[in-house]
Structures are given as structure tokens and as C-alpha cells.
Amino acid sequence: MRTLLPSVAAGAYQVWDGQFGEPEQKIFRSLVGIRDPQKHAKIRRIWTRGFTPEALRSYHPILNKRVSNLISHFDARVARGQTIDLSKWISYFT
């Protein structure tokens, strides 16, 4: 997290932990499912910082490294005659 979002990790921004309600409730929901426009806007503001053009550019080297590692792993498995379950591997990116 620190290398991916250094300004967020350093505490420069408020970070949403994925929880709604009181901390002891530990209720997790999708941002898409929030029907209250004010609640949606409040939580979306936190997420928006991670999707600015500058932030997206900063993810590029990390994603390149991970995709290269993934392809190398696939190549090694194929060389050993093993099959690859793509749905399993792609889930690591989501």
C-alpha cells in the first residue's frame, strides 16, 4: 500500500476502509449499491483521489511488474504441461 499510494499511506488523505455504519458493525457493501446520494457522494469523494490521471499513471509500473510476473508464471506452467485456470488468476487483480 505504501508504494502504491504513498500520500494516502502517509495519512495525507482520509481512507475509506470499506465499512459502513458504526465500526463495531463491520458492514461491507459495494459503493454502487448505496442509494442515498449524500452517502454515495461522501464515500465516492474518498475513492476519487485514487482514480485521478496522476494516480492512475503512478500504478503503471506496479501493474507492469505484476503482469510480467503473471506471464512468467503462466509460461513456466505451460512448459511443464500444466493447465491454467484463468478465472482464479484474474481474480488476484480484482
Side-chain angles (χ1 to χ4, degrees):
M1 177 67 118
R2 290 185 192 280
T3 57
L4 185 60
L5 300 169
S7 58
V8 172
Y13 298 106
Q14 179 184 7
V15 178
W16 180 52
D17 62 2
Q19 299 180 24
F20 293 89
E22 299 302 317
E24 64 274 4
Q25 290 177 328
K26 305 283 185 197
I27 300 170
F28 293 86
R29 291 186 216 139
S30 167
L31 179 62
V32 174
I34 300 173
R35 302 263 182 209
D36 182 316
Q38 290 178 336
K39 287 181 184 178
H40 181 90
K42 179 181 177 184
I43 294 168
R44 184 176 175 180
R45 264 191 299 279
I46 297 167
W47 278 89
T48 298
R49 294 182 189 105
F51 292 96
T52 65
E54 180 182 347
L56 293 174
R57 277 191 294 276
S58 75
Y59 307 150
H60 194 259
I62 296 163
L63 287 172
N64 274 343
K65 181 179 177 180
R66 293 206 178 179
V67 168
S68 293
N69 288 341
L70 183 66
I71 291 170
S72 295
H73 183 78
F74 286 170
D75 287 343
R77 288 184 69 107
V78 169
R80 292 190 303 263
Q82 297 174 321
T83 60
I84 300 168
D85 180 357
L86 283 179
S87 64
K88 173 186 169 187
W89 289 98
I90 290 174
S91 71
Y92 293 128
F93 280 90
T94 60

